[in-house]
Amino acid sequence: ACGGGEKKEEAADSNANTEITGKIVIYTSMYEDIIDNVSEKLKKEFPNLEVEFFQGGTGTLQSKIIAELQANKLGCDMLMVAEPSYSLELKEKGILHAYLSKNAENLALDYDKEGYWYPVRLLNMVLAYNPDKYKKEDLALTFEDFAKREDLAGKISIPDALSDKYGEEYFKNLANLKVVVESGSVAVTKLETGEAAEIMILEESILKKRQEENSTLEVIYPEDGIISIPSTIMTVKEDMSANKNIKAAEALTDWFLSPAGQEAIVEGWMHSVLKNPEKAPYDAKATDEILKSSMPINWEKTYKDREELRKMFEKFITKAN
């Protein structure tokens, strides 16, 4: 009888977030199927809370936020988009709510010490190729070579550009190789058909393809360093938020930065932001190895110099296509 009583008590305690109620809207750039997986877990963890995700590309979400700011109120309560430079901008504009999460000490990456933003998922920019169409030894194994190999001219694709490590010369070299700027899905299709020999892309796009479709596409982790992008989680300050539900936003922040929340992130082919994570995403390099070999990025500089970087990119890349 005593044992049964303990089980009942454990069952009651197992869901500590039943007191979190109301609604939360989250703007995010995560894949739709990852959102579906996370949503299922959130329903179990927060049974009395309605969590609604609005998904869009980072550029789309930033444009949406700019438009909403004109009314001095956002259509969301939380954001899981972009990288630290955008968080720095929103903090500077006075849009964010500061919260010191109990899980911050377990993070392996930098976070805002005042609690305005935290890394929630680690994205990695890598190179990728199709071993059914090309040999790895015939391709670029570094980001630097990727922009210099004349034999790859007209056969490479990028989703974005590098700036901190290689500067303006890098953009010039990419333009000379007739690099194509296109969406990840288009680039992956060209890799599969052999139209593209090698692409620069987010690691998760290839890992997802390998696990879900048994694809033979392979990731090349550049020998001159991986571009690791800590995507952040932020809460909109109460008077500018959609549902004024700060208690729920803080509870969600704690969950996303917990082992359970990070497990959902890793299942979505992204790396955990916790120290000594138990798992890496499917078929991925170990997270600690990636962090050791990642390029240092000055996010403050990226934020402050954004317009200059955009102009440089457009000068050499956009006009080259």
Side-chain angles (χ1 to χ4, degrees), residues 15-36:
N15 207 325
N17 290 305
T18 51
E19 79 285 0
I20 304 298
T21 60
K23 182 177 180 178
I24 284 283
V25 175
I26 303 175
Y27 286 176
T28 184
S29 55
M30 291 192 298
Y31 287 131
E32 289 280 7
D33 51 352
I34 298 171
I35 293 171
D36 291 342

Side-chain angles (χ1 to χ4, degrees), residues 143-144 146-148 153-154 156-158 160-162 168-180 200 313 316-317 320-321:
F143 280 128
E144 186 173 15
F146 183 75
K148 288 183 175 180
I156 59 174
S157 163
I158 63 170
D160 216 343
L162 298 166
E168 189 170 311
E169 192 65 28
Y170 196 81
F171 295 99
K172 287 181 183 176
N173 290 338
L174 284 172
N176 290 337
L177 294 186
K178 299 180 175 61
V179 70
V180 178
M200 187 190 298
F313 181 79
F316 296 109
I317 305 299
N321 290 289

Side-chain angles (χ1 to χ4, degrees), residues 69-293:
L69 282 175
Q70 293 177 353
N72 211 35
K73 183 179 178 180
L74 299 188
C76 65
D77 305 282
M78 301 180 74
L79 300 122
M80 291 176 66
V81 296
E83 23 68 26
S85 67
Y86 190 50
S87 301
L88 294 171
E89 179 182 339
L90 295 182
K91 177 185 176 181
E92 194 172 275
K93 287 182 175 177
I95 293 166
L96 304 179
H97 166 74
Y99 170 59
L100 297 174
S101 173
K102 63 184 181 182
N103 294 324
E105 62 184 22
N106 299 322
L107 296 173
L109 304 167
D110 288 339
Y111 60 92
D112 185 75
K113 296 304 184 279
E114 294 175 277
Y116 283 102
W117 56 265
Y118 296 96
V120 71
R121 53 196 173 116
L122 186 66
L123 314 180
N124 297 298
M125 194 68 74
V126 295
L127 299 173
Y129 77 107
N130 185 346
D132 294 338
K133 304 287 184 180
Y134 293 89
K135 294 179 181 177
K136 186 176 180 179
E137 55 265 31
D138 294 336
L139 300 171
L141 302 182
T142 65
F143 280 128
E144 186 173 15
D145 265 1
F146 183 75
K148 288 183 175 180
R149 290 279 296 271
E150 292 183 7
D151 56 327
L152 295 177
K155 298 179 183 177
I156 59 174
S157 163
I158 63 170
D160 216 343
L162 298 166
S163 55
D164 265 18
K165 184 156 178 124
Y166 299 119
E168 189 170 311
E169 192 65 28
Y170 196 81
F171 295 99
K172 287 181 183 176
N173 290 338
L174 284 172
N176 290 337
L177 294 186
K178 299 180 175 61
V179 70
V180 178
V181 183
E182 55 201 353
S183 71
S185 59
V186 171
V188 167
T189 299
K190 287 186 177 180
L191 208 59
E192 290 176 317
T193 62
E195 185 178 344
E198 191 169 13
I199 61 174
M200 187 190 298
I201 195 165
L202 285 173
E203 174 194 36
E204 64 197 86
S205 298
I206 304 299
L207 302 182
K208 182 177 190 288
K209 199 89 175 166
R210 287 177 67 83
Q211 183 170 18
E212 291 191 337
E213 301 176 30
N214 202 26
S215 171
T216 58
L217 298 184
E218 289 188 12
V219 169
I220 294 175
Y221 293 98
E223 295 170 1
D224 52 349
I226 298 160
I227 303 174
S228 295
I229 308 161
S231 185
T232 55
I233 187 167
M234 305 163 269
T235 295
V236 179
K237 69 179 185 180
E238 192 166 38
D239 63 341
M240 293 184 72
S241 67
N243 296 289
K244 296 180 168 51
N245 197 352
I246 291 296
K247 182 180 179 182
E250 292 180 347
L252 283 174
T253 299
D254 285 340
W255 182 81
F256 272 109
L257 302 183
S258 73
Q262 287 298 294
E263 184 180 336
I265 293 296
V266 172
E267 286 175 3
W269 307 282
M270 298 168 290
H271 289 259
S272 171
V273 295
L274 299 180
K275 296 172 183 172
N276 305 313
E278 287 186 15
K279 295 179 182 177
Y282 176 84
D283 261 6
K285 195 173 188 176
T287 305
D288 60 345
E289 287 181 40
I290 282 178
L291 289 174
K292 284 174 187 172
S293 61

Side-chain angles (χ1 to χ4, degrees), residues 161-167 171 296-299 301-302 305 309:
L162 298 166
S163 55
D164 265 18
K165 184 156 178 124
Y166 299 119
F171 295 99
I297 299 175
N298 185 333
W299 296 110
K301 184 176 183 293
T302 303
D305 297 348
L309 293 170

